[in-house]
Amino acid sequence: SAANNYNGGCTGQREYKCCAARRDYGQNSWQASKTCDQYGCNRKKCYGYFDDDNYKRTYEKDDDDDGWSSPTNNKQTYQKDEDEDYEDYNGGSNYNKNSYNNKYQDNFVKDIVSKSSGGYRSSGINSDYEVYTKYGQRAGYNNDGWEGDGFWGPKLQQVREECAVMFHQDLLYLAKAIRLVFHDCMGNEDYGCDGCVDLTHPDNEGLDTIMHKLHNIVANNRKWFSRTDIWQICSLTALDISSSMYEQNAPHFKMTFIGRKDCPNADEIGDGGDKIDMYPKTINSQALVHHFYQYFGFDARCTTAVMGTHGMSMMHPWNSGQGDGPFPAKWSEGTSYILDNWYFKGFKKPWTYELRPNHEYPNIEPKKQWYWESGEEGFWNGDGFEQGKLIMLDSDMSLKYDFSDYQDQNGYIYCKASYEVYHHGPQPAQAVPMCPMAYDTYEIVEEYAYDNLKFLYDVEYCMLKMFNTGYRHGMDGNYKMYYGHGAYY
């Protein structure tokens, strides 16, 4: 870009001329774009630059090679966070979050909406991120979240309130809303979150209920937000609720992008779009990390963190073909709708491998799964102890074990996860070797098992990265824009 031709970047007189052109010709006019590109300011948007006297710049002659000094009377500056890995987590202690141990609290909705719209840094635009427009209002990226914005804040609060009411009626919809957005944002290298899920794909079985639930919220707020933006807002609200039930210092899940566009080939609830497999047909540690990198730009840590959301979910055999006999099953101990680190604690259990025949559901092929059976002592379900099985999938177990060298062409695994098990599928366990550890992710599993707050902050970072799939122009160079250069309305 032209910005690389100037030492010092978009500052001083160059910044002034760019912003003057945007003021005179319009923010997104070709005249302004040409002028800004000429002066190395092709990504400068100039919002607020000429709003009042506090934003006026004064320039002094100096001896550097461009002849101008930096502004001497800036009211605000926005700096790029140079941390390449994770955001500063110190802000977590500032969130005054209530614990929702009693799901019938009278102030449930009020507290969620208040928590979801405040308690963090003041809103601001990071000039290193692309900013788009919608209805003449500033939109696109806001790295501090749009909840504090004077225009978008009240509208986001209204959607969050409607989502919270829906979740209060049935807390199991918390996990469903998060699962929906995960499936929505899965795409190919050119796009991601687009408000469309193909319900004819077997991986999307069961999503129709949450899509129908969200339809009324979408209809009520469609004037301001796309369907996929509303799905995102409800998912962020679900993450806020589910994470703060156990951990009062949990992070706040912010809406950092407004302006995603819906795909054109879906019905009113969002049924349509491309057929996308949620996981590769043969799954192991290396394939899982590569898969999440390919679709979301995740590293091993983000892959592990997002997989941890399985801990607040339940699997239903009539949808997925996996469960405890004909009954639904959980991945982990603890309460189904609470996001915490019980999922990672469960990897220490002796898991047994089996091929589930699915006789009860003849339309579903046999499925591979791992189980731990509680016995008479039962397992903790958040309210008491119950007997039955906990279930893990190959994708889950691959976070701890690398069975890539112990799989046949159909993905069947020929190594065990514990010396304590009696059989491995139809084989006696003594005849099966132990699986080696997954060196990319095993230590992260151990870390999260001992540190719930670290897990939650990593989920915040990684889920927001997932939610911006397809709209990362200005965030990294690996993703293209789905709808051209920006999400214009």
Side-chain angles (χ1 to χ4, degrees):
S1 87
N4 296 326
N5 297 327
Y6 293 95
N7 294 323
C10 181
T11 59
Q13 183 74 344
R14 297 192 297 276
E15 180 185 30
Y16 175 86
K17 289 184 177 181
C18 170
C19 289
R22 293 203 185 279
R23 175 196 61 190
D24 296 337
Y25 297 111
Q27 283 286 342
N28 300 304
S29 66
W30 68 267
Q31 297 98 326
S33 297
K34 182 177 180 180
T35 301
C36 291
D37 189 69
Q38 177 183 353
Y39 289 104
C41 298
N42 55 321
R43 293 163 71 181
K44 180 70 178 176
K45 293 299 180 183
C46 304
Y47 291 107
Y49 194 94
F50 293 102
D51 285 355
D52 54 53
D53 290 340
N54 290 322
Y55 280 99
K56 290 181 179 178
R57 268 60 168 168
T58 60
Y59 299 96
E60 298 175 351
K61 192 75 173 175
D62 65 8
D63 295 325
D64 65 14
D65 56 0
D66 68 355
W68 296 93
S69 68
S70 298
T72 60
N73 191 30
N74 290 345
K75 183 178 180 181
Q76 300 183 45
T77 59
Y78 299 101
Q79 297 179 343
K80 183 178 180 180
D81 184 0
E82 298 298 334
D83 182 359
E84 295 181 353
D85 293 323
Y86 293 92
E87 297 170 345
D88 184 0
Y89 294 154
N90 293 332
S93 60
N94 295 328
Y95 305 133
N96 296 318
K97 299 204 172 186
N98 296 320
S99 175
Y100 294 94
N101 294 326
N102 183 353
K103 64 181 179 180
Y104 299 108
Q105 292 185 44
D106 294 336
N107 61 350
F108 180 93
V109 174
K110 181 179 70 175
D111 286 349
I112 289 300
V113 173
S114 173
K115 177 187 68 176
S116 298
S117 58
Y120 51 91
R121 300 190 303 272
S122 62
S123 174
I125 295 295
N126 187 325
S127 60
D128 287 314
Y129 289 72
E130 290 285 349
V131 178
Y132 310 117
T133 60
K134 182 172 180 179
Y135 297 119
Q137 298 293 326
R138 193 175 61 180
Y141 284 112
N142 185 333
N143 207 32
D144 288 330
W146 286 105
E147 284 80 359
D149 182 78
F151 180 81
W152 293 112
K155 296 171 177 58
L156 285 168
Q157 180 171 331
Q158 173 63 32
V159 179
R160 283 184 180 265
E161 182 173 343
E162 292 184 38
C163 298
V165 170
M166 178 190 69
F167 295 136
H168 183 44
Q169 294 169 350
D170 187 347
L171 290 174
L172 295 182
Y173 278 108
L174 294 168
K176 296 178 188 295
I178 298 169
R179 178 183 175 227
L180 173 63
V181 174
F182 170 68
H183 287 233
D184 176 36
C185 291
M186 182 70 74
N188 61 32
E189 64 178 6
D190 291 322
Y191 70 92
C193 316
D194 62 359
C196 299
V197 171
D198 182 0
L199 292 176
T200 65
H201 193 296
D203 288 350
N204 297 326
E205 286 285 344
L207 287 175
D208 56 321
T209 55
I210 183 64
M211 291 167 68
H212 280 287
K213 278 282 189 179
L214 290 173
H215 175 58
N216 287 338
I217 301 177
V218 171
N220 293 342
N221 299 276
R222 197 59 183 266
K223 178 180 179 181
W224 305 111
F225 301 106
S226 63
R227 180 172 53 243
T228 185
D229 272 353
I230 292 171
W231 286 3
Q232 302 268 336
I233 298 167
C234 281
S235 182
L236 292 167
T237 306
L239 287 163
D240 268 335
I241 297 171
S242 59
S243 63
S244 63
M245 287 182 177
Y246 179 80
E247 179 58 71
Q248 294 188 19
N249 292 321
H252 168 58
F253 291 83
K254 302 168 292 187
M255 186 73 168
T256 58
F257 186 93
I258 292 174
R260 301 170 185 86
K261 291 191 73 173
D262 297 333
C263 79
N265 55 336
D267 65 14
E268 60 182 7
I269 69 166
D271 181 11
D274 294 339
K275 290 182 181 293
I276 303 294
D277 294 332
M278 292 301 105
Y279 297 100
K281 295 301 182 183
T282 299
I283 192 71
N284 53 58
S285 179
Q286 298 173 31
L288 181 71
V289 172
H290 175 74
H291 185 72
F292 276 71
Y293 173 78
Q294 178 183 2
Y295 288 109
F296 300 129
F298 282 0
D299 58 7
R301 178 170 290 274
C302 273
T303 299
T304 308
V306 169
M307 288 292 294
T309 60
H310 276 168
M312 61 177 293
S313 306
M314 297 187 69
M315 59 187 76
H316 301 87
W318 50 86
N319 288 332
S320 65
Q322 278 142 339
D324 182 3
F327 306 107
K330 297 171 58 178
W331 270 266
S332 65
E333 296 185 78
T335 306
S336 295
Y337 47 80
I338 293 180
L339 180 61
D340 55 26
N341 62 345
W342 272 104
Y343 171 84
F344 298 102
K345 294 177 181 179
F347 279 95
K348 292 187 177 295
K349 298 184 182 298
W351 295 91
T352 299
Y353 190 62
E354 69 173 352
L355 185 65
R356 175 188 164 89
N358 278 317
H359 296 312
E360 305 94 335
Y361 309 100
N363 293 329
I364 301 178
E365 63 183 12
K367 293 293 185 73
K368 306 180 294 295
Q369 64 181 30
W370 303 74
Y371 72 88
W372 173 78
E373 193 158 15
S374 66
E376 293 183 359
E377 68 276 12
F379 63 83
W380 176 249
N381 65 10
D383 297 317
F385 290 89
E386 66 176 273
Q387 296 180 1
K389 290 181 178 180
L390 299 177
I391 303 295
M392 289 274 196
L393 310 181
D394 288 353
S395 56
D396 302 294
M397 295 299 289
S398 65
L399 295 176
K400 183 174 181 179
Y401 301 102
D402 182 7
F403 33 75
S404 56
D405 293 332
Y406 296 87
Q407 284 179 295
D408 62 19
Q409 66 274 16
N410 297 315
Y412 191 87
I413 298 169
Y414 292 92
C415 61
K416 60 188 176 186
S418 172
Y419 287 111
E420 300 179 31
V421 299
Y422 296 104
H423 63 87
H424 183 87
Q427 297 177 280
Q430 294 84 351
V432 180
M434 275 291 295
C435 296
M437 293 297 179
Y439 64 88
D440 282 334
T441 52
Y442 168 66
E443 291 183 355
I444 304 172
V445 169
E446 294 288 292
E447 179 183 351
Y448 290 159
Y450 288 99
D451 193 338
N452 182 59
L453 200 57
K454 176 63 175 173
F455 161 59
L456 293 178
Y457 272 103
D458 283 359
V459 169
E460 178 207 16
Y461 172 86
C462 301
M463 292 297 279
L464 290 180
K465 186 171 186 179
M466 176 196 292
F467 290 175
N468 290 331
T469 302
Y471 301 90
R472 294 207 192 116
H473 185 82
M475 292 185 68
D476 61 55
N478 297 323
Y479 289 83
K480 303 175 184 178
M481 296 303 298
Y482 183 17
Y483 290 90
H485 187 71
Y488 294 102
Y489 281 72

